[in-house]
Amino acid sequence: MSFGEHRRENLMVCNYGLVNGLSRKDVLQVFSHYGQVEHIVMLPFKSYCFVCFANIQEAVCAYNNINGKMNTLPDQTTFYLIYTNSVPKVVEIASELPSGLKIIDNFITDEEESLILQYFKENWSESSSMKHRQVKHYGYAFDYDNNGVRHDMCDPIPKEFEFILNAINLHLKWCPNQITVNKYLPGQGIPSHIDTHGVFDDYILSLSLNSDIIMEFRKGNYHNSILLKSKSLLIMSGESRLDWTHGITPRKFDMFNSVDGPDIMRRGNRISVTFRRVVQNYENIEIKKNLYEILGCDKTTSFKILKENYRKLLVKLHPDKSISSSTTAACAELNEAWNVLKDPNSKKVYDEKIEQCDIDTVVTIFETLIVTELENNEDDDTMSYRCRCGGLFLVPKSMIHNVSNVEPILFPCDDCSLFIEVILPNTSLS
């Protein structure tokens, strides 16, 4: 059948579709009692759908028995139907992988998944709870207040993970030293974000356990919904790691492209295991002295000049030239500065840290937004935006109405140290 063909065998369900959580299986369960369903057309993010019967008589029978009446689905919904002469073409959900993104299905076996799930079941009591999920860290604990990591008060990576680390190393020639485990119940998610650049290196890996999920990737006007199956390994690097945000929408079902067209799948309890590697020397960098001053330069100095200065000073300060303790200490200080600044990753982290020390009022801006991107809260006099930590940025409506300053204004998260920058309109809200 051509989807543009005019037929009275077509029924439109006016009040239910993918966005309401209606699946193809649900449609068949209700409509197949009254005839042969030839096609079901579900449209992404729409609250309606189409059912195409083999003949007019069957469509009429379905209409008479279903329209406006409670159906047999578990939530006992009521469908409102109309006849339609045509049916729209199927539109698939955008699911193209961003550049640098790779997914390996069945990265572990069913038995290995069961072993990991059992380990978490027995060792989850010491986890911490975020607003919308439970979190546990190994190796290094992620510090949500300053977007850094802490090595103290964090369990080492368990030996039960060794087979996964070995498989990752075999595949990528790369081994993580930090693991974050998130436990999600149906309806929970994580706001869109980009993992901090300076702390972790290029790879971010995520192993999905116990339930499939859709992860949303966004960059500008692009929005791709990527299916992560249970036991699959997601590998982000390059553009997908640095330029695309990724997150999980808090809902109890996901829309995805099935072999028959767009459909939904119900979420179950899910655990994600995220693997990262803290960049070299990150945990050892302390702001005691300005390392650039030790090398007689600044952060705009080229690597070539940095290296030349280091060699000249090393010859001058080498302990063989003098046995004084001050010269020995200065040489050690010089080597410490060079070890940090010669590595691009640790240099970047150091630059970020020294900027925070130099500017007392420095803040970390999560996103820059316009007012229309904020959610209007009907219950109070605020607008809001969800932070990646699960907290909220609250913006008083009075400020948007009354502030005459056209400069962007910063608003803090109510649960971490991040800020959003809101660009105010020239006129007040209507």
Side-chain angles (χ1 to χ4, degrees), residues 239-298:
E239 184 179 327
S240 66
R241 154 81 169 96
L242 302 175
D243 298 335
W244 289 69
T245 65
H246 61 279
I248 297 172
T249 304
R251 57 191 176 207
K252 295 186 177 182
F253 60 87
D254 283 307
M255 287 174 276
F256 75 109
N257 294 319
S258 73
V259 293
D260 297 316
D263 203 350
I264 70 159
M265 58 183 182
R266 309 288 177 188
R267 289 185 185 177
N269 295 341
R270 175 178 175 268
I271 289 178
S272 71
V273 185
T274 301
F275 302 89
R276 306 180 182 92
R277 185 163 67 191
V278 176
V279 296
Q280 182 182 2
N281 293 327
Y282 173 84
E283 66 273 22
N284 297 322
I285 297 176
E286 296 182 23
I287 309 301
K288 297 177 181 178
K289 286 189 176 182
N290 189 307
L291 302 185
Y292 290 105
E293 291 179 359
I294 294 173
L295 287 168
C297 56
D298 58 43

Side-chain angles (χ1 to χ4, degrees), residues 378-410:
E378 301 291 347
D379 297 336
D380 56 35
D381 294 326
T382 65
M383 303 181 79
S384 62
Y385 191 77
R386 182 71 63 183
C387 181
R388 72 182 184 191
C389 74
L392 286 174
F393 301 97
L394 296 175
V395 179
K397 294 177 184 177
S398 59
M399 293 194 67
I400 300 173
H401 280 291
N402 301 327
V403 173
S404 58
N405 183 13
V406 295
E407 293 296 321
I409 297 181
L410 299 178

Side-chain angles (χ1 to χ4, degrees), residues 119-161:
Y119 174 81
F120 288 138
K121 183 178 180 180
E122 297 172 355
N123 296 274
W124 197 259
S125 58
E126 297 179 4
S127 65
S128 60
S129 294
M130 304 289 286
K131 281 191 174 181
H132 298 282
R133 64 192 189 279
Q134 288 184 301
V135 182
K136 189 169 179 62
H137 302 283
Y138 298 100
Y140 294 84
F142 189 80
D143 190 337
Y144 294 94
D145 287 333
N146 61 24
N147 293 321
V149 292
R150 301 189 314 272
H151 191 65
D152 59 312
M153 299 180 66
C154 186
D155 293 338
I157 296 176
K159 59 180 176 50
E160 286 81 1
F161 286 25

Side-chain angles (χ1 to χ4, degrees), residues 295 297 301-314 338 342:
L295 287 168
C297 56
T301 304
S302 68
F303 177 79
K304 180 181 178 181
I305 301 300
L306 276 175
K307 190 173 183 179
E308 289 177 357
N309 285 11
Y310 166 68
R311 287 180 172 177
K312 290 177 182 178
L313 290 169
L314 184 63
W338 173 243
K342 71 179 181 180

Side-chain angles (χ1 to χ4, degrees), residues 43-327:
L43 299 177
F45 309 104
K46 299 298 183 182
S47 59
Y48 53 84
C49 63
F50 299 85
V51 184
C52 307
F53 280 94
N55 56 64
I56 294 176
Q57 291 75 20
E58 292 175 348
V60 171
C61 182
Y63 181 92
N64 291 336
N65 284 278
I66 297 173
N67 183 47
K69 299 175 182 178
M70 192 175 296
N71 58 48
T72 58
L73 295 178
D75 54 358
Q76 296 184 322
T77 54
T78 300
F79 290 163
Y80 294 97
L81 312 177
I82 60 171
Y83 294 102
T84 177
N85 290 329
S86 61
V87 173
K89 292 183 178 180
V90 175
V91 178
E92 288 197 342
I93 301 166
S95 58
E96 182 180 354
L97 298 185
S99 176
L101 188 69
K102 184 177 181 180
I103 298 173
I104 304 176
D105 289 332
N106 296 311
F107 188 74
I108 59 174
T109 65
D110 291 341
E111 182 181 359
E112 289 169 338
E113 181 186 42
S114 297
L115 289 173
I116 301 172
L117 292 173
Q118 183 62 33
Y119 174 81
F120 288 138
K121 183 178 180 180
E122 297 172 355
N123 296 274
W124 197 259
S125 58
E126 297 179 4
S127 65
S128 60
S129 294
M130 304 289 286
K131 281 191 174 181
H132 298 282
R133 64 192 189 279
Q134 288 184 301
V135 182
K136 189 169 179 62
H137 302 283
Y138 298 100
Y140 294 84
F142 189 80
D143 190 337
Y144 294 94
D145 287 333
N146 61 24
N147 293 321
V149 292
R150 301 189 314 272
H151 191 65
D152 59 312
M153 299 180 66
C154 186
D155 293 338
I157 296 176
K159 59 180 176 50
E160 286 81 1
F161 286 25
E162 286 182 2
F163 75 92
I164 303 177
L165 301 182
N166 291 336
I168 290 173
N169 190 33
L170 183 65
H171 187 81
L172 294 176
K173 306 302 180 187
W174 175 89
C175 193
N177 59 10
Q178 192 275 336
I179 293 177
T180 298
V181 183
N182 287 288
K183 181 185 286 187
Y184 299 92
L185 299 176
Q188 295 181 330
I190 183 170
S192 293
H193 65 283
I194 296 176
D195 284 70
T196 183
H197 294 181
V199 178
F200 306 113
D201 69 6
D202 187 49
Y203 284 117
I204 301 289
L205 278 59
S206 181
L207 180 67
S208 294
L209 303 174
N210 203 56
S211 179
D212 299 349
I213 200 77
I214 290 292
M215 182 170 281
E216 313 287 350
F217 282 79
R218 291 180 171 87
K219 179 185 177 183
N221 294 326
Y222 295 99
H223 176 194
N224 295 355
S225 301
I226 308 301
L227 173 61
L228 304 181
K229 297 180 180 178
S230 178
K231 302 186 293 295
S232 70
L233 183 71
L234 170 75
I235 303 174
M236 287 187 286
S237 65
E239 184 179 327
S240 66
R241 154 81 169 96
L242 302 175
D243 298 335
W244 289 69
T245 65
H246 61 279
I248 297 172
T249 304
R251 57 191 176 207
K252 295 186 177 182
F253 60 87
D254 283 307
M255 287 174 276
F256 75 109
N257 294 319
S258 73
V259 293
D260 297 316
D263 203 350
I264 70 159
M265 58 183 182
R266 309 288 177 188
R267 289 185 185 177
N269 295 341
R270 175 178 175 268
I271 289 178
S272 71
V273 185
T274 301
F275 302 89
R276 306 180 182 92
R277 185 163 67 191
V278 176
V279 296
Q280 182 182 2
N281 293 327
Y282 173 84
E283 66 273 22
N284 297 322
I285 297 176
E286 296 182 23
I287 309 301
K288 297 177 181 178
K289 286 189 176 182
N290 189 307
L291 302 185
Y292 290 105
E293 291 179 359
I294 294 173
L295 287 168
C297 56
D298 58 43
K299 68 178 183 179
T300 63
T301 304
S302 68
F303 177 79
K304 180 181 178 181
I305 301 300
L306 276 175
K307 190 173 183 179
E308 289 177 357
N309 285 11
Y310 166 68
R311 287 180 172 177
K312 290 177 182 178
L313 290 169
L314 184 63
V315 171
K316 180 180 178 180
L317 297 173
H318 198 278
D320 290 345
K321 300 286 184 179
S322 172
I323 59 173
S324 70
S325 59
S326 61
T327 302

